[in-house]
Short mmCIF file of all heavy atoms in Angstrom, two decimals:
data_model
loop_
_atom_site.label_atom_id
_atom_site.label_comp_id
_atom_site.label_asym_id
_atom_site.label_seq_id
_atom_site.Cartn_x
_atom_site.Cartn_y
_atom_site.Cartn_z
N ALA A 144 -7.52 7.01 -13.44
CA ALA A 144 -6.10 6.73 -13.26
C ALA A 144 -5.54 7.58 -12.15
O ALA A 144 -5.82 8.75 -12.03
CB ALA A 144 -5.34 7.00 -14.56
N GLY A 145 -4.72 6.96 -11.33
CA GLY A 145 -4.00 7.69 -10.31
C GLY A 145 -4.72 7.84 -9.00
O GLY A 145 -4.14 8.31 -8.02
N THR A 146 -5.99 7.43 -8.94
CA THR A 146 -6.74 7.65 -7.70
C THR A 146 -7.15 6.36 -7.00
O THR A 146 -7.63 6.41 -5.89
CB THR A 146 -8.00 8.48 -8.00
OG1 THR A 146 -8.80 7.78 -8.98
CG2 THR A 146 -7.62 9.85 -8.54
N SER A 147 -7.01 5.22 -7.66
CA SER A 147 -7.42 3.98 -7.01
C SER A 147 -6.66 2.80 -7.63
O SER A 147 -6.03 2.92 -8.67
CB SER A 147 -8.94 3.75 -7.19
OG SER A 147 -9.26 3.64 -8.57
N GLY A 148 -6.77 1.65 -6.97
CA GLY A 148 -6.18 0.43 -7.50
C GLY A 148 -4.68 0.46 -7.65
O GLY A 148 -4.14 -0.07 -8.62
N ILE A 149 -3.97 1.06 -6.71
CA ILE A 149 -2.53 1.21 -6.86
C ILE A 149 -1.74 0.36 -5.88
O ILE A 149 -0.53 0.50 -5.78
CB ILE A 149 -2.11 2.69 -6.72
CG1 ILE A 149 -2.57 3.25 -5.38
CG2 ILE A 149 -2.64 3.51 -7.86
CD1 ILE A 149 -2.11 4.67 -5.12
N VAL A 150 -2.40 -0.53 -5.15
CA VAL A 150 -1.67 -1.42 -4.26
C VAL A 150 -1.71 -2.86 -4.74
O VAL A 150 -0.86 -3.67 -4.36
CB VAL A 150 -2.20 -1.35 -2.81
CG1 VAL A 150 -1.97 0.03 -2.23
CG2 VAL A 150 -3.67 -1.74 -2.73
N ASP A 151 -2.69 -3.19 -5.59
CA ASP A 151 -2.84 -4.58 -6.02
C ASP A 151 -1.97 -4.86 -7.24
O ASP A 151 -2.45 -5.14 -8.34
CB ASP A 151 -4.31 -4.90 -6.30
CG ASP A 151 -4.94 -3.93 -7.29
OD1 ASP A 151 -4.45 -2.79 -7.41
OD2 ASP A 151 -5.93 -4.31 -7.93
N VAL A 152 -0.67 -4.77 -7.05
CA VAL A 152 0.31 -5.11 -8.08
C VAL A 152 1.25 -6.16 -7.52
O VAL A 152 1.45 -6.23 -6.29
CB VAL A 152 1.11 -3.86 -8.54
CG1 VAL A 152 0.20 -2.85 -9.22
CG2 VAL A 152 1.84 -3.21 -7.37
N PRO A 153 1.84 -7.01 -8.36
CA PRO A 153 2.68 -8.10 -7.84
C PRO A 153 3.96 -7.60 -7.18
O PRO A 153 4.64 -8.39 -6.50
CB PRO A 153 2.98 -8.94 -9.08
CG PRO A 153 2.78 -8.01 -10.24
CD PRO A 153 1.67 -7.09 -9.83
N GLU A 154 4.31 -6.33 -7.38
CA GLU A 154 5.50 -5.79 -6.74
C GLU A 154 5.36 -5.66 -5.23
O GLU A 154 6.36 -5.42 -4.53
CB GLU A 154 5.86 -4.44 -7.34
CG GLU A 154 6.54 -4.49 -8.69
CD GLU A 154 5.59 -4.81 -9.84
OE1 GLU A 154 4.36 -4.75 -9.65
OE2 GLU A 154 6.09 -5.11 -10.94
N TYR A 155 4.14 -5.79 -4.71
CA TYR A 155 3.90 -5.79 -3.27
C TYR A 155 3.53 -7.19 -2.81
O TYR A 155 2.74 -7.88 -3.47
CB TYR A 155 2.73 -4.88 -2.90
CG TYR A 155 2.95 -3.41 -3.01
CD1 TYR A 155 2.05 -2.62 -3.73
CD2 TYR A 155 4.02 -2.78 -2.38
CE1 TYR A 155 2.21 -1.25 -3.82
CE2 TYR A 155 4.19 -1.41 -2.48
CZ TYR A 155 3.28 -0.64 -3.21
OH TYR A 155 3.46 0.71 -3.30
N THR A 156 4.04 -7.62 -1.67
CA THR A 156 3.45 -8.77 -0.99
C THR A 156 2.14 -8.29 -0.37
O THR A 156 1.86 -7.09 -0.30
CB THR A 156 4.37 -9.30 0.11
OG1 THR A 156 4.49 -8.29 1.14
CG2 THR A 156 5.75 -9.62 -0.43
N LEU A 157 1.33 -9.26 0.10
CA LEU A 157 0.07 -8.87 0.73
C LEU A 157 0.34 -8.02 1.97
O LEU A 157 -0.36 -7.05 2.25
CB LEU A 157 -0.75 -10.10 1.10
CG LEU A 157 -2.16 -9.81 1.63
CD1 LEU A 157 -2.99 -9.10 0.57
CD2 LEU A 157 -2.86 -11.10 2.05
N LEU A 158 1.38 -8.39 2.71
CA LEU A 158 1.75 -7.61 3.89
C LEU A 158 2.15 -6.20 3.50
O LEU A 158 1.77 -5.22 4.17
CB LEU A 158 2.90 -8.32 4.61
CG LEU A 158 3.25 -7.86 6.02
CD1 LEU A 158 2.07 -8.03 6.96
CD2 LEU A 158 4.45 -8.65 6.54
N GLU A 159 2.89 -6.04 2.42
CA GLU A 159 3.31 -4.72 1.97
C GLU A 159 2.14 -3.90 1.45
O GLU A 159 2.14 -2.67 1.55
CB GLU A 159 4.38 -4.87 0.89
CG GLU A 159 5.71 -5.36 1.45
CD GLU A 159 6.69 -5.79 0.36
OE1 GLU A 159 6.27 -5.89 -0.82
OE2 GLU A 159 7.86 -6.02 0.69
N GLN A 160 1.14 -4.56 0.89
CA GLN A 160 -0.06 -3.83 0.46
C GLN A 160 -0.73 -3.15 1.65
O GLN A 160 -1.16 -1.99 1.56
CB GLN A 160 -1.04 -4.79 -0.22
CG GLN A 160 -0.59 -5.29 -1.58
CD GLN A 160 -1.60 -6.20 -2.23
OE1 GLN A 160 -2.79 -6.16 -1.90
NE2 GLN A 160 -1.15 -7.05 -3.14
N VAL A 161 -0.81 -3.87 2.76
CA VAL A 161 -1.39 -3.29 3.97
C VAL A 161 -0.53 -2.13 4.47
O VAL A 161 -1.02 -1.06 4.82
CB VAL A 161 -1.56 -4.35 5.07
CG1 VAL A 161 -2.05 -3.71 6.37
CG2 VAL A 161 -2.53 -5.43 4.61
N HIS A 162 0.79 -2.33 4.48
CA HIS A 162 1.68 -1.28 4.94
C HIS A 162 1.64 -0.05 4.04
O HIS A 162 1.83 1.07 4.51
CB HIS A 162 3.11 -1.83 5.02
CG HIS A 162 3.29 -2.87 6.06
ND1 HIS A 162 4.34 -3.77 6.07
CD2 HIS A 162 2.53 -3.19 7.15
CE1 HIS A 162 4.22 -4.56 7.11
NE2 HIS A 162 3.14 -4.23 7.78
N ALA A 163 1.40 -0.26 2.74
CA ALA A 163 1.28 0.88 1.83
C ALA A 163 0.08 1.75 2.19
O ALA A 163 0.09 2.96 1.94
CB ALA A 163 1.16 0.39 0.39
N LEU A 164 -0.93 1.15 2.79
CA LEU A 164 -2.12 1.89 3.18
C LEU A 164 -1.97 2.58 4.53
O LEU A 164 -2.43 3.71 4.73
CB LEU A 164 -3.33 0.95 3.22
CG LEU A 164 -3.74 0.31 1.89
CD1 LEU A 164 -4.85 -0.71 2.12
CD2 LEU A 164 -4.20 1.37 0.90
N VAL A 165 -1.30 1.90 5.47
CA VAL A 165 -1.26 2.40 6.84
C VAL A 165 0.03 3.16 7.14
O VAL A 165 0.07 3.97 8.08
CB VAL A 165 -1.45 1.24 7.84
CG1 VAL A 165 -0.20 0.40 7.96
CG2 VAL A 165 -1.90 1.75 9.20
N GLY A 166 1.08 2.94 6.36
CA GLY A 166 2.34 3.62 6.61
C GLY A 166 2.24 5.14 6.66
O GLY A 166 2.84 5.77 7.54
N PRO A 167 1.48 5.76 5.74
CA PRO A 167 1.37 7.22 5.78
C PRO A 167 0.74 7.76 7.06
O PRO A 167 0.98 8.92 7.42
CB PRO A 167 0.48 7.53 4.57
CG PRO A 167 0.72 6.40 3.63
CD PRO A 167 0.89 5.20 4.51
N LEU A 168 -0.06 6.95 7.76
CA LEU A 168 -0.67 7.44 9.00
C LEU A 168 0.40 7.67 10.07
O LEU A 168 0.47 8.75 10.67
CB LEU A 168 -1.71 6.44 9.50
CG LEU A 168 -2.92 6.20 8.60
CD1 LEU A 168 -3.84 5.16 9.23
CD2 LEU A 168 -3.68 7.49 8.34
N ASP A 169 1.23 6.66 10.31
CA ASP A 169 2.29 6.82 11.30
C ASP A 169 3.35 7.80 10.82
O ASP A 169 3.90 8.58 11.61
CB ASP A 169 2.94 5.47 11.59
CG ASP A 169 2.15 4.64 12.58
OD1 ASP A 169 1.15 5.16 13.12
OD2 ASP A 169 2.49 3.47 12.82
N GLY A 170 3.68 7.77 9.52
CA GLY A 170 4.68 8.68 8.99
C GLY A 170 4.26 10.13 9.10
O GLY A 170 5.05 11.00 9.49
N PHE A 171 3.01 10.41 8.76
CA PHE A 171 2.47 11.77 8.86
C PHE A 171 2.54 12.25 10.30
O PHE A 171 2.98 13.38 10.58
CB PHE A 171 1.03 11.76 8.36
CG PHE A 171 0.39 13.12 8.24
CD1 PHE A 171 0.23 13.72 7.00
CD2 PHE A 171 -0.06 13.81 9.36
CE1 PHE A 171 -0.38 14.97 6.88
CE2 PHE A 171 -0.65 15.05 9.27
CZ PHE A 171 -0.81 15.64 8.01
#
């Protein structure tokens, strides 16, 4: 728990799932 499988929820669109992964790179 807490370390994987946290983007594949219906609260994200597929586009948002990708942004959830890459957003921290540009933000950091």
